[in-house]
């Protein structure tokens, strides 16, 4: 019996034990629960995507052996709990009321028992009132520009314009900033409040204050009033039209206006290649060479399944895939299937096995006897790290190097995303996903927008609906609107095991029943962080240096989670820092690293290409596209069919 067959038997036995199969007959309640689950799946099936999107999914599932698992037995009591919480989520935007009330109760209890803190807040309120009064008096008695009494935060661009420095708008926005600062004092520094609850309250108060900002209203925004005078009110008419169009698109589930100009395979994702392998979860794309000779070691890119892969193959001028191919590399890309209710039981190990490991097996047949340089982006980098650690543990030496782009392996400091990660919130989210079998793209998009609400919600609202402007669609925005879903089992597992429990960094994450350790990885690593990343903050990505016993080259680039990675040579205002930590070098903090590492103008792509070249052999003739004799004949032209699924 092969090792792979043994693993399948062990996996099946584990699922049977969890479901209670083979030990006792299932109760009628369990049967009722399964019927409820099947009913929920059937409801979702009625809203399947159009025939173009359904066809490739059906073809893939018909052509691959099913690996359906037994449905886990669930009592009628659990079913009622899930139904109740799922119903509540419609009114709370997916946020757990219990988690929010817990944070408020923690704060309220402790501030009640802190008379010193309350006295301090009263003193601060009186001080801020005095500052605003003095500022208002100076404005009233002077015709010159008056120095503000409080400056906006560096990332706050709402009040930068000259119009905001004129009376009475300067007094309005200064009063708002003083109140904003005071409310920050209210929810922070209360003795006894947990760090998690303090951060949750900071986040919630910031959302409410951002909503009430004077920049969001016609009568208190001098820039909007000036535009209204200039256009005789036509900006408001245009803004109303924009609002109605956006509401119609949202109700119909249609992409935003202009996205139709960026169709995968036609306008974006146009790098030539072939789909050389397909299973129920992935299509593997091999890109055609653009040079007479190529490096012998192929590159496998593992993107996150929370997004479609063509973020890395946008337009020809900013395609990372095309850039690598032009540098003489043979590039393979995983394109993930967009799951639906039928895929609710896909878990993390399915993504590892059917994704990373099956892709490596295919590449090994197409480009035999060569090390593979593997790269992962975002969550794909986390999955790749898990796979690499398991391979190192088992003596599998097919990888030649590891590149992690805006990826985390330690989740103790994941930025503001941790505000959505606690046991109460995850239990609530499980109920939401239990009903539909997946987490929908709109639910994920809302959470990410709230992390930067000023830029992604309120500033956009002012620009589109009050100023009457329509920001032209670009490839990155169109890609961002082309979202995917996350299977119930996988999403619940990765949030709990990685974000909540930090199992990977602490050595508890298991593969094939045994824990994996990042310290087993002996490959050279190239890791990238981005300065303005709200999803994978660069100090968190930097921790790969402390968690592995190998050479790590870390690059820090300007930009955010997506824009910083898609940073082609020639991109204006881009810069990066890069430095290698040897095996015997001491670890230093992210702040010390940034202070002592030289900054280079330009794109980090060039530094990565140089690093890849140093870990590659002399150029040879390019390999064939696929390998029909080994069962990997080309199936379709890139970008394939899975990327078209809606």
């Amino acid at each position: 019996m092969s090792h792979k067959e043994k693993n399948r038997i062990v996996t099946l036995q584990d699922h049977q034990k969890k479901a209670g199969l083979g030990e006792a007959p299932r109760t009628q309640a369990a049967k009722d629960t399964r019927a409820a689950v099947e009913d929920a799946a059937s409801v979702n099936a009625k809203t399947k995507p159009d025939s173009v999107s359904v066809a490739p999914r059906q073809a893939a599932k018909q052509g691959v052996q099913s690996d359906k698992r037994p449905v886990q037995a669930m009592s009628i009591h659990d079913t009622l709990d899930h139904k109740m919480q799922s119903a509540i989520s419609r009114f709370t935007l997916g946020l757990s009321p219990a988690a929010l009330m817990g944070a408020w109760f923690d704060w309220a209890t402790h501030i009640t028992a802190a008379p010193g803190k309350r006295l301090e807040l009263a003193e601060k309120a009186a001080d801020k009132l005095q500052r605003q009064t003095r500022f208002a008096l100076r404005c009233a008695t002077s015709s010159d520009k008056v120095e503000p009494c409080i400056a906006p935060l560096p990332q706050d661009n709402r009040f930068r314009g000259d119009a905001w420095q004129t009376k009475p708008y300067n007094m309005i926005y200064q009063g708002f900033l003083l109140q904003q600062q005071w409310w920050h004092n209210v929810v922070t520094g209360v003795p006894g409040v947990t760090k998690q609850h303090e951060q949750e309250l900071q986040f919630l108060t910031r959302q409410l204050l951002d909503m009430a900002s004077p920049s969001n209203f016609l009568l208190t925004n001098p820039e909007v009033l000036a535009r209204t005078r200039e256009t005789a009110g036509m900006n408001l008419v245009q803004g109303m039209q924009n609002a109605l169009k956006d509401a119609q698109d949202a109700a119909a589930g249609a992409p935003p206006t202009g996205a139709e100009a960026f169709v995968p395979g036609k306008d974006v994702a146009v790098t030539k290649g072939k789909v050389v392998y397909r299973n129920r979860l992935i299509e593997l794309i091999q890109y055609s060479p653009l040079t007479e000779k190529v490096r012998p070691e192929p590159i496998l890119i593992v993107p996150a399944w929370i997004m479609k892969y063509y973020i890395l193959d946008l337009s020809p001028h900013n395609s990372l895939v095309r850039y690598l191919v032009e540098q003489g590399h043979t590039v393979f890309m995983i394109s993930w299937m967009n799951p639906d209710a039928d895929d609710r039981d896909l878990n993390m190990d399915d993504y590892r096995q059917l994704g990373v490991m099956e892709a490596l097996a295919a590449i090994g047949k197409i480009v035999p006897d060569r090390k593979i340089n593997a790269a992962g982006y975002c969550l794909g980098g986390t999955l790749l790290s898990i796979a690499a650690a398991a391979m190192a543990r088992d003596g599998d030496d097919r990888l030649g190097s590891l590149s992690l782009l805006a990826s985390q392996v330690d989740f103790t400091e994941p930025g503001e995303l941790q505000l959505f990660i606690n046991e109460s919130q995850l239990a609530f989210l499980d109920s939401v996903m239990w009903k539909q079998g997946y987490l929908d793209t709109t639910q994920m998009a809302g959470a990410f927008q709230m992390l930067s609400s000023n830029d992604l919600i309120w500033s956009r609202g002012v620009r589109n609906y009050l100023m009457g402007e329509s920001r032209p669609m670009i490839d990155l925005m169109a890609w961002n609107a082309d979202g995917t879903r996350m299977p119930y089992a996988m999403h619940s597992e990765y949030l709990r095991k990685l974000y909540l429990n930090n199992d990977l960094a602490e050595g508890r994450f298991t593969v094939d029943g045994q824990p994996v350790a990042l310290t087993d990885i002996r490959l050279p690593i190239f890791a990238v962080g981005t300065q303005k990343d709200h999803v994978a903050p660069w100090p968190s990505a930097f921790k790969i240096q402390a968690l592995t016993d190998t050479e790590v080259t870390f690059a820090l680039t300007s930009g955010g989670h997506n824009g910083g990675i898609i940073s082609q040579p020639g991109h204006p205002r881009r810069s990066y820092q890069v430095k290698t930590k040897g095996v015997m070098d001491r670890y230093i903090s992210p702040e010390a690293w940034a202070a002592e590492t030289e900054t280079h103008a330009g794109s980090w792509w060039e530094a990565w290409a140089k690093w890849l070249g140093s870990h590659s052999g002399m150029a040879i003739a390019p390999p064939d596209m696929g390998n029909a004799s080994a069962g990997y004949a080309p199936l379709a032209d890139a970008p394939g069919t899975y990327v078209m699924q809606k």
Side-chain angles (χ1 to χ4, degrees):
M1 183 180 298
S2 69
H3 177 67
K4 190 172 183 179
E5 289 171 334
K6 289 180 181 178
N7 288 341
R8 287 180 176 174
I9 291 174
V10 171
T11 301
L12 178 59
Q13 290 172 341
D14 288 343
H15 285 293
Q16 288 175 333
K17 288 177 182 178
K18 291 178 182 177
L21 302 180
E23 296 177 2
R26 283 183 294 169
T27 63
Q28 184 61 42
K31 294 179 181 178
D32 293 342
T33 302
R34 180 168 184 170
V37 173
E38 291 173 349
D39 289 344
S42 68
V43 171
N44 283 276
K46 293 178 183 178
T47 59
K48 290 276 189 178
D50 57 40
S51 58
V52 174
S53 301
V54 172
R57 184 190 305 280
Q58 292 175 338
K61 291 185 177 180
Q62 290 170 359
V64 179
Q65 185 177 358
S66 175
D67 61 349
K68 289 287 185 181
R69 298 177 178 82
V71 176
Q72 184 173 347
M74 187 182 299
S75 71
I76 191 64
H77 312 97
D78 292 334
T79 304
L80 289 172
D81 291 345
H82 281 315
K83 285 184 175 293
M84 172 61 77
Q85 295 189 65
S86 180
I88 293 173
S89 71
R90 300 175 186 175
F91 306 98
T92 64
L93 302 177
L95 296 177
S96 166
L100 301 180
M101 287 300 296
W104 178 85
F105 188 76
D106 186 12
W107 170 84
T109 302
H110 285 93
I111 201 169
T112 300
K117 177 65 177 180
R118 298 200 306 274
L119 178 60
E120 178 189 8
L121 291 173
E123 292 172 347
K124 286 182 177 293
D127 175 69
K128 294 182 190 309
L129 179 60
Q130 291 178 6
R131 288 167 63 185
Q132 185 171 16
T133 301
R134 290 195 298 267
F135 177 76
L137 289 174
R138 290 198 303 271
C139 290
T141 58
S142 175
S143 58
D144 298 328
K145 181 179 178 180
V146 178
E147 190 70 21
C149 63
I150 182 173
L153 295 172
Q155 68 272 22
D156 188 352
N157 297 312
R158 292 173 293 183
F159 311 113
R160 302 289 186 192
D162 292 337
W164 284 103
Q165 311 312 318
T166 61
K167 295 178 287 190
Y169 307 105
N170 55 355
M171 290 183 284
I172 292 174
Y173 95 82
Q174 286 285 285
F176 171 77
L177 292 180
L178 288 168
Q179 291 183 58
Q180 181 177 260
Q181 189 181 68
W182 185 78
W183 277 107
H184 173 80
N185 298 144
V186 169
V187 297
T188 59
V190 179
V193 176
T194 67
K195 182 179 179 181
Q196 171 80 13
H197 288 158
E198 181 178 278
Q199 291 175 335
E200 287 179 17
L201 291 172
Q202 278 184 271
F203 178 79
L204 290 172
T205 53
R206 191 176 74 238
Q207 299 302 314
L208 294 173
L209 288 166
D210 287 347
M211 188 186 305
S213 169
S215 61
N216 297 337
F217 301 96
L218 171 64
L219 297 180
T220 55
N221 189 323
E223 295 171 333
V224 174
L225 290 173
R227 176 64 62 86
T228 304
R229 289 191 295 268
E230 292 170 4
T231 64
M234 291 307 296
N235 60 306
L236 300 179
V237 175
Q238 183 61 54
M240 180 61 69
Q241 293 175 344
N242 292 343
L244 290 173
K245 180 64 168 63
D246 287 349
Q248 290 173 350
D249 289 345
T257 302
E260 65 278 2
F262 298 94
V263 179
K266 179 182 177 182
D267 309 290
V268 292
V270 295
T271 303
K272 299 296 183 183
K274 298 287 185 181
V275 174
V276 294
Y277 175 70
R278 178 188 295 131
N279 61 31
R280 66 167 296 193
L281 188 58
I282 72 164
E283 288 183 329
L284 182 66
I285 300 171
Q286 179 184 357
Y287 290 96
S288 304
L290 294 176
T291 54
E292 292 185 3
K293 292 187 176 183
V294 299
R295 299 286 189 156
E297 297 82 5
I299 296 174
L300 169 64
I301 301 179
V302 183
W305 51 92
I306 198 172
M307 58 183 74
K308 292 192 175 178
Y309 85 86
Y310 67 90
I311 175 68
L312 302 173
D313 186 26
L314 285 171
S315 304
H317 74 279
N318 61 359
S319 167
L320 179 57
V321 169
R322 184 177 182 85
Y323 177 78
L324 291 173
V325 175
E326 288 175 341
Q327 302 305 306
H329 294 284
T330 300
V331 178
F332 291 83
M333 173 72 75
I334 288 177
S335 175
W336 299 101
M337 174 266 296
N338 194 2
D340 60 14
D342 292 338
D343 305 300
R344 61 185 300 123
D345 294 324
L346 286 172
N347 60 28
M348 282 286 288
D349 201 59
D350 291 320
Y351 274 77
R352 182 188 67 88
Q353 279 283 3
L354 297 175
V356 178
M357 303 312 294
E358 291 291 330
L360 290 174
I363 296 172
K365 295 294 185 181
I366 297 170
V367 189
D369 304 321
R370 300 292 184 182
K371 297 287 188 180
I372 300 169
N373 292 322
Y377 177 33
C378 186
L379 188 55
T382 306
L383 181 68
L384 182 59
S385 299
I386 293 170
M391 292 170 70
R393 180 199 65 191
D394 298 338
D396 187 337
D397 62 354
R398 286 177 289 173
L399 297 182
S401 71
L402 195 63
S403 296
L404 305 176
L405 316 182
S407 300
Q408 299 177 94
V409 293
D410 181 291
F411 292 84
T412 53
E413 296 178 317
E416 288 189 329
L417 272 179
Q418 68 184 337
L419 303 178
F420 302 98
I421 309 298
N422 54 59
E423 192 58 54
S424 175
Q425 181 61 48
L426 293 189
F428 195 75
L429 184 60
D430 277 350
S431 295
V432 175
M433 295 189 294
W434 170 85
K435 180 178 181 180
Q436 57 194 20
Y438 55 81
L439 186 67
D440 189 71
T441 178
T442 56
Q443 294 167 308
M444 289 185 290
F448 287 125
Q449 286 180 340
M450 287 168 61
L451 297 180
S452 188
S453 58
N454 266 344
D455 296 329
L456 300 179
I457 299 178
W458 303 116
S459 294
R460 178 181 177 274
V462 170
R463 183 175 61 250
N464 287 8
Y465 309 141
L466 295 182
M467 301 293 279
E469 300 172 354
S470 294
R471 185 177 180 181
M473 183 65 64
I474 61 174
D475 51 11
L476 187 60
M477 292 169 59
W479 164 83
N480 194 52
D482 189 12
T484 60
R485 294 173 288 274
M486 303 276 271
Y488 169 30
M490 184 284 304
H491 195 54
S492 179
E493 182 181 4
Y494 107 80
L495 287 178
R496 276 195 162 78
K497 290 187 176 181
L498 299 179
Y499 276 92
L500 186 63
N501 299 331
N502 202 31
D503 285 349
L504 178 58
E506 297 179 12
R508 293 187 300 271
F509 195 95
T510 59
V511 172
D512 295 333
Q514 296 296 322
V516 296
L518 296 170
T519 51
D520 287 339
I521 299 174
R522 295 293 188 268
L523 306 170
I525 296 175
F526 189 98
V528 182
T530 63
Q531 292 176 345
K532 298 180 180 179
D533 200 328
H534 294 284
V535 179
W538 80 264
S540 183
F542 185 86
K543 291 181 180 180
I544 187 67
Q545 296 198 35
L547 296 171
T548 55
D549 294 329
T550 187
E551 177 188 285
V552 179
T553 299
F554 187 82
L556 176 63
T557 180
S558 55
H561 185 70
N562 296 322
I565 297 300
I566 308 308
S567 182
Q568 69 276 11
H571 191 296
R573 300 178 300 279
R574 283 290 186 249
S575 62
Y576 67 94
Q577 299 167 273
V578 62
K579 188 176 182 180
T580 298
K581 174 186 174 293
V583 177
M584 302 304 295
D585 292 342
R586 291 179 298 171
Y587 175 80
I588 61 174
S589 70
E591 296 76 17
W593 182 94
E596 69 179 35
T597 304
E598 181 182 0
T599 299
H600 305 274
S603 169
W604 68 270
W605 290 11
E606 295 171 326
W608 188 36
K610 182 178 179 181
W611 183 87
L612 286 170
S614 69
H615 293 89
S616 302
M618 298 297 294
I620 59 174
D624 294 334
M625 299 296 289
N627 184 346
S629 62
Y632 296 98
L635 303 174
D637 290 332
T641 55
Y642 283 1
V643 75
M644 303 298 182
Q645 294 172 346
K646 300 297 183 182

